[in-house]
């Protein structure tokens, strides 16, 4: 039996229960598929087979989950941080125990290659451990002295949180939000993406198994416009952490306005990678290929705009084209696969549409630009596209301005540093940027002028959990990571103590 066959057999075993029983919600410690909910098919991106059915939650389930999160909040808030830390470490242990199952199910549900998903459970567990260790000190603040008063601050958890996640790498992204919220002492209602709901159910099961108290963690499946919308409007929910597209972000802000929600938005990107003539050619090439073609290009921090300086442009593009043409497209459970199928039909049609748009706008399709007919042992029904490279593009073309969110790279030439900065910044997004140069002064100048929340110099996307993660412009509002996460999930309270010596103004004291 090949590794692909044994992976498929293992995945089928794990998926059996999702095929037999509809995937519902997890509310106040109970798993449920309410009678009134409609059920939709969960379609596999690999071959359009049905992976099971998903219950579509309504306002009723969201209200129920928010009420549970509100009722559970005081006890969870008041639990000593050291106890929360122990529980969340226990939770991380349980994730690790189910790492293979999580990876296989995530691959089947999203089309992401197992090569990358193998680490997803480990990353998720690491998120829990990192924030768990911070739980005991999360409430600590600062003190500030005046002559006759002393001020001190503390942080208190803000309350029940709504977490709304997208379909790309859903397991890891969910833990990135939920772990700090729980560590801070908040309770959670999670609304996963309707296109990739399965590992959210695994997380809920792990929460139950790990002994997270009922109501502290709730999960409701459903559509964004219904369940997601209600969650953003519910008065018990004090803050919303959304990871999603730049069109959903403003909607969530508006929906949360009446109840004055604190809103954290991690949205789309069209991130530039700037390659200068003096860059380390081979390392830059590896990083450029990795940062757009890994994870099927369905990655918010992908470097989807290549800005390449004229001196090395032709040599770089030639080497790049060879590498792109050589990328292995295939079944996501094949360990050799580098690019798998796209998440679903609507997204597949969107990505495909850019192949025509590119030529209509006057760019050249140097590699790819077609659907992949038979990467799957001749089965043509999956949502596969060829890794694609557009060259000779201008920055005002749609392929340079819009987030395609697939294995598609747009290359644009430049001559000077100033031109590179202008091109990099002439876009509505500002999530990430990548700079390749051996000139330290230039790297420092660019790090000041490029409009992005995160920049990497001579590196692909390297995550450091204490560092801030987030974007500017239409890529988002707010930061995650380290203490920045606690700033979002907690309120600062100031207490002012008098020494008993100061003069209090006297009104009405005339005799
Ligand atoms: P999406 O915005 O369509 O959906 C994201 C989530 O929001 C889903 O759960 C959806 O049901 C929900 N939603 C939709 N409309 C809603 C509404 N009116 N109210 C409340 N919830 C609503 O995004 P997607 O297509 O699932 O995900 C891909 C997008 O996510 C890309 O743009 C990508 O760049 C972005 N993303 C950003 C980051 C980041 O860190 N900046 C990370 C991953 C993905």
């Amino acid at each position: 039996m090949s590794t692909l066959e044994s992976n498929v057999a293992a995945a089928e075993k794990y998926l059996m229960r999702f095929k037999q029983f509809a995937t519902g919600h997890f509310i106040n410690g109970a798993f449920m598929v309410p009678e009134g909910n409609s059920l939709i098919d969960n379609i596999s991106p690999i071959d359009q087979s049905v992976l099971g059915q998903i219950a579509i939650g309504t306002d009723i389930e969201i209200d129920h989950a928010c009420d549970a999160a509100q009722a559970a909040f005081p006890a969870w808030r008041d639990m000593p941080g050291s106890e929360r830390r122990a529980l969340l470490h226990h939770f991380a242990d349980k994730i690790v125990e189910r790492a293979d199952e999580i990876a296989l199910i995530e691959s089947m549900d999203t089309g992401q290659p197992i090569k990358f998903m193998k680490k997803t459970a480990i990353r998720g567990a690491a998120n829990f451990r990192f924030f768990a260790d911070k739980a005991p000190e999360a409430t600590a603040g600062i003190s500030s002295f005046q002559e006759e008063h002393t001020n001190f601050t503390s942080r208190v958890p803000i309350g029940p949180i709504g977490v709304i996640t997208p379909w790309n790498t859903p397991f890891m992204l969910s833990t990135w939000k939920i772990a700090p919220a729980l560590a801070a002492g908040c309770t959670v209602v999670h609304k996963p993406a309707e296109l990739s709901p399965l590992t959210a159910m695994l997380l809920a099961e792990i929460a139950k198994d790990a002994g997270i108290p009922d109501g502290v963690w709730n999960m409701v499946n459903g559509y964004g416009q219904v369940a997601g919308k209600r969650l953003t409007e519910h008065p018990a929910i004090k803050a919303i952490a959304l990871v999603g597209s730049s069109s959903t972000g403003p909607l969530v802000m508006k929906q949360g306005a009446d109840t004055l929600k604190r809103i954290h938005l991690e949205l789309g990107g069209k991130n530039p990678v700037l390659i200068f003539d003096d860059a380390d050619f081979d390392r830059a090439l590896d990083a450029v290929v990795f940062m757009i073609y890994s994870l099927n290009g369905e990655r918010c921090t992908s470097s989807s705009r290549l800005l390449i300086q004229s001196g090395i442009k032709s040599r770089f593009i030639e080497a790049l084209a060879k590498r792109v043409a050589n990328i292995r497209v295939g079944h996501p459970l094949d360990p050799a696969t580098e690019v798998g199928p796209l998440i679903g039909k609507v997204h597949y049609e969107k990505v495909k549409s850019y192949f025509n748009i590119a030529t209509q706008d006057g760019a050249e399709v140097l590699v790819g630009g077609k659907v992949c007919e038979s990467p799957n042992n001749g089965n043509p029904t999956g949502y596969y596209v060829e890794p694609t490279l557009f060259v000779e593009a201008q920055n005002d073309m749609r392929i340079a301005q819009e987030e395609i969110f697939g294995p598609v790279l747009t290359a644009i030439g430049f001559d000077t540093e100033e031109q590179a900065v202008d091109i990099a910044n002439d876009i509505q997004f500002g999530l990430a940027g990548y700079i390749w140069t051996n000139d330290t002064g230039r790297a420092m100048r660019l790090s000041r002028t490029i409009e992005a929340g995160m920049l990497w110099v001579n590196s692909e996307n390297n995550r450091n959990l204490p560092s801030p993660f987030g974007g500017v412009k239409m890529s988002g509002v707010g930061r995650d990571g380290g203490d920045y996460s606690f700033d979002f999930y907690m309120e600062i309270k100031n207490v002012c103590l008098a020494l008993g010596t100061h003069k209090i103004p006297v009104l009405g004291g005339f005799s």
Side-chain angles (χ1 to χ4, degrees), residues 164-169 173 191-194 222-225 227-229 232 242-249 251-252 255 265-269 299-300 403 405 431 469 475:
I164 304 178
T165 47
W167 48 256
N168 67 310
T169 54
L173 285 175
K191 208 297 283 170
E194 47 273 43
Y223 291 126
Q225 309 87 298
K229 180 168 183 290
T232 59
L242 167 80
V243 186
S245 62
S246 295
S247 51
T248 302
L251 291 178
V252 165
Q255 292 160 195
L265 304 174
E266 283 185 22
L267 309 175
R299 176 185 205 155
C300 57
E403 186 187 43
F405 219 54
L431 186 60
F469 185 101
S475 290

Side-chain angles (χ1 to χ4, degrees), residues 285 288-289 292-293 317-329 338-339 366-369 386-390 407-409:
L285 180 64
V288 165
V289 174
I292 180 65
Y293 300 105
I317 297 283
E318 191 186 334
L320 177 62
K322 277 193 192 134
R323 292 280 292 276
V324 178
N326 208 27
I327 288 173
R328 289 197 182 124
V329 181
E338 294 171 317
V339 167
L366 190 60
V367 184
E386 290 181 352
T388 295
L389 174 61
F390 299 139
V408 180
L409 177 61

Side-chain angles (χ1 to χ4, degrees), residues 14 38 156-157 230 277 285 298 309 330 366 389 436 439 454:
Y14 288 130
S38 56
V156 291
R230 177 64 184 160
D277 289 346
L285 180 64
E298 295 168 320
Q309 199 166 20
L366 190 60
L389 174 61
W436 285 87
D439 178 338
M454 297 170 286

Side-chain angles (χ1 to χ4, degrees), residues 165-240:
T165 47
W167 48 256
N168 67 310
T169 54
F171 184 86
M172 205 287 294
L173 285 175
S174 304
T175 61
W176 180 232
K177 296 288 176 186
I178 296 174
L182 293 181
C186 299
T187 52
V188 167
V189 178
H190 178 204
K191 208 297 283 170
E194 47 273 43
L195 291 176
S196 60
L198 297 187
T199 50
M201 181 48 84
L202 298 190
L203 270 174
E205 288 173 3
I206 294 170
K208 180 88 178 163
D209 189 30
I212 304 289
D214 291 353
V216 169
W217 183 313
N218 307 273
M219 189 274 290
V220 178
N221 273 302
Y223 291 126
Q225 309 87 298
V226 181
K229 180 168 183 290
R230 177 64 184 160
L231 183 57
T232 59
E233 292 170 344
H234 198 285
I237 298 294
K238 299 302 170 211
I240 293 284

